[in-house]
């Protein structure tokens, strides 16, 4: 009996020691969350962000981590749905995670931002472009590593005015924060330049038949269509316009720049114009990072991979500078200039980048893109 008791005591002691060691090792990690759509129709955007974050974390951890501590990433799904944004935010907060990359979509980001800011979670979104996320909100913890729609919209409008030179334009949108916001920005810029905007109208995201709006476009005699929204609707607009004999050029924001648009639109996707972040993968300074992506069979040239990498870098470099304290990290981000894969970045008091480079690309039916010239 006594020997058995001693054996049990030893086993229990060893178990406690093992738990303590495991707990200590776990405590050495710094927790990051990644809030992306892993369900729903926009998962490919989540995949882009995941590729960027994963590659950055692998590189940082392989180089010794942050002040000797490794980054540990927890993925949370918000399906890019505004109603799921707060649910995902509360999961992050309840998990006691102080740093987050995401949300991916503007609607979900806008809905969740007050929770993150109130709870002191540092958020850096690599893809949410709506000005409403930050404008007039006085948030301290919310940042981006991508430009706003009121930077992207003028870039699109400038190209339309100076290069495409249409006679009559229709501006469509998906009635959502992101799509309607950028469509409004484009419309306003076109109207300032006295371009004839014959139609400004919303369509219902998720519909499968846009015959009615295409009939309107034909009746209005437009020769150029700008669409603010995401790739599923853009793909259908392109395909159904082609099927109904409407020959117009179509353009959209980075939300339509998704390889899946090819599967939806088919050959009609050829020549689609899209505003995207500059292709930072072509910068020779990023050669080693591009190779790290390619070694893992990841695409470094998509819309959000390198902005997500930069978001991870920004948080990591700030923790290195001021320690593992979200309040100090947020303070640091507001005043720092950080060298990242997308170049040196700095933020204004709203958490928006002081500068960002959107460029115009022409999309091709093989899934490639080239800089647009006219």
């Amino acid at each position: 009996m006594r020997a058995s008791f001693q054996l049990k005591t030893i086993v229990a002691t060893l178990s406690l020691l093992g738990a303590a060691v495991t707990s200590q090792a776990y405590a050495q990690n710094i927790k990051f969350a990644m809030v992306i759509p892993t369900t729903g129709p926009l998962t490919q955007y989540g995949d882009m962000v995941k590729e960027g974050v994963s590659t950055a974390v692998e590189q940082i951890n392989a180089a010794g981590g942050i002040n000797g501590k490794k980054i540990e990433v927890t993925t949370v799904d918000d399906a890019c749905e505004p109603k799921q944004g707060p649910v995902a935010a509360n999961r992050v907060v309840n998990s006691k995670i102080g740093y987050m990359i995401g949300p991916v979509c503007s609607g979900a980001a806008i809905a969740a931002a007050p929770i993150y800011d109130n709870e002191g979670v540092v958020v850096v979104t690599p893809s949410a472009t709506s000005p409403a996320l930050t404008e007039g909100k006085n948030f301290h913890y919310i940042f981006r590593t991508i430009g706003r729609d009121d930077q992207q919209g003028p870039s699109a409008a400038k190209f339309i005015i100076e290069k495409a030179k249409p006679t009559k334009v229709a501006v469509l949108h998906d009635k959502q924060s992101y799509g309607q916001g950028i469509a409004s920005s484009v419309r306003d810029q076109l109207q300032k330049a006295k371009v004839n905007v014959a139609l400004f109208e919303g369509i219902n995201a998720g519909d499968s038949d846009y015959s009615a709006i295409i009939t309107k476009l034909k009746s209005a005699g437009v020769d150029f269509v700008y669409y603010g929204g995401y790739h599923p609707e853009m793909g259908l607009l392109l395909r159904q316009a082609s099927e109904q004999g409407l020959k117009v050029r179509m353009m959209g924001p980075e939300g339509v720049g998704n390889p899946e648009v090819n599967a939806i639109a088919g050959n009609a996707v050829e020549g689609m114009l899209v505003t995207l972040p500059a292709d930072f993968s072509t910068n020779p300074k990023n050669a080693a990072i591009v190779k790290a992506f390619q070694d893992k069979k990841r695409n470094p040239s998509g819309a959000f991979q390198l902005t997500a990498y930069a978001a991870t870098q920004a948080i990591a470099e700030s923790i290195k500078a001021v320690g593992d304290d979200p309040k100090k990290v947020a303070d640091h981000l507001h005043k720092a200039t950080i060298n990242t894969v997308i170049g040196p970045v700095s933020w204004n008091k709203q958490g928006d980048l002081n500068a960002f480079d959107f460029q115009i690309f022409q999309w091709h039916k093989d899934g490639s893109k080239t800089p647009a010239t006219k």
Side-chain angles (χ1 to χ4, degrees), residues 47-218:
D47 292 341
M48 293 178 189
V49 171
K50 185 176 181 180
E51 287 188 344
V53 173
S54 297
T55 308
V57 168
E58 288 161 7
Q59 295 284 294
I60 293 166
N61 284 346
I66 303 173
N67 300 332
K69 295 185 177 183
K70 298 296 179 72
I71 301 172
E72 172 192 337
V73 180
T74 297
T75 302
V76 179
D77 177 30
D78 69 0
C80 264
E81 288 278 352
K83 65 183 178 181
Q84 291 298 320
V87 177
N90 284 320
R91 284 188 59 191
V92 173
V93 171
N94 292 337
S95 299
K96 302 189 184 310
I97 299 173
Y99 313 99
M100 196 275 283
I101 296 100
V104 171
C105 294
S106 291
I110 291 166
I115 297 172
Y116 291 118
D117 198 68
N118 289 338
E119 297 295 334
V121 178
V122 175
V123 169
V124 184
T125 174
S127 51
T129 54
S130 173
L133 174 60
T134 51
E135 188 69 35
K137 301 296 175 61
N138 201 31
F139 290 144
H140 186 69
Y141 291 87
I142 311 299
F143 302 86
R144 318 180 203 239
T145 47
I146 194 166
R148 297 178 11 156
D149 290 339
D150 49 7
Q151 293 170 304
Q152 183 175 188
S155 295
K158 187 173 188 290
F159 182 91
I160 295 169
I161 295 161
E162 297 179 1
K163 303 290 186 181
K165 300 179 180 178
T167 58
K168 194 179 288 189
V169 179
V171 180
L172 307 178
H173 59 82
D174 63 1
K175 304 180 184 177
Q176 298 181 30
S177 297
Y178 163 68
Q180 187 166 354
I182 194 164
S184 298
S185 175
V186 171
R187 175 201 60 192
D188 293 348
Q189 294 293 320
L190 293 177
Q191 289 178 335
K192 282 181 186 177
K194 308 300 182 186
V195 174
N196 184 357
V197 179
L199 194 68
F200 181 78
E201 191 162 327
I203 63 173
N204 295 318
D207 281 359
S208 59
D209 184 359
Y210 294 116
S211 297
I213 192 66
I214 289 168
T215 298
K216 273 192 177 183
L217 296 174
K218 292 173 77 172

Side-chain angles (χ1 to χ4, degrees), residues 2 17 28 38-39 60 62 70 102 108 122 125 133 153 158 197 232 325 328 333 355 365:
R2 186 174 179 181
L17 285 170
Q28 293 304 306
T38 62
T39 59
I60 293 166
K70 298 296 179 72
V122 175
T125 174
L133 174 60
K158 187 173 188 290
V197 179
D325 180 333
K328 291 180 180 177
L333 286 169
K365 60 187 178 182

